[in-house]
Amino acid sequence: MRRLAGYTLFWVGLGMIVEMLMDSILISVLLILFLLLIGYNLFMG
């Protein structure tokens, strides 16, 4: 469980770095919604 939490926190941190580099808020929001949908489907599937 600790490895899963560490893995998740690593990718959340990496995502925050990528978000700081993006200029458009619309693209950021669309990317977040897309990744949440994929993550939900993978987690529940």
Side-chain angles (χ1 to χ4, degrees):
M1 190 67 183
R2 288 181 56 180
R3 292 186 71 193
L4 179 62
Y7 180 79
T8 303
L9 289 173
F10 173 80
W11 286 108
V12 167
L14 189 67
M16 288 181 177
I17 292 171
V18 169
E19 181 68 31
M20 287 191 305
L21 299 175
M22 293 180 96
D23 293 335
S24 174
I25 293 176
L26 178 63
I27 294 174
S28 299
V29 170
L30 290 175
L31 183 62
I32 289 167
L33 291 174
F34 179 69
L35 292 175
L36 282 172
L37 182 64
I38 291 174
Y40 177 76
N41 283 331
L42 289 173
F43 183 72
M44 298 306 282

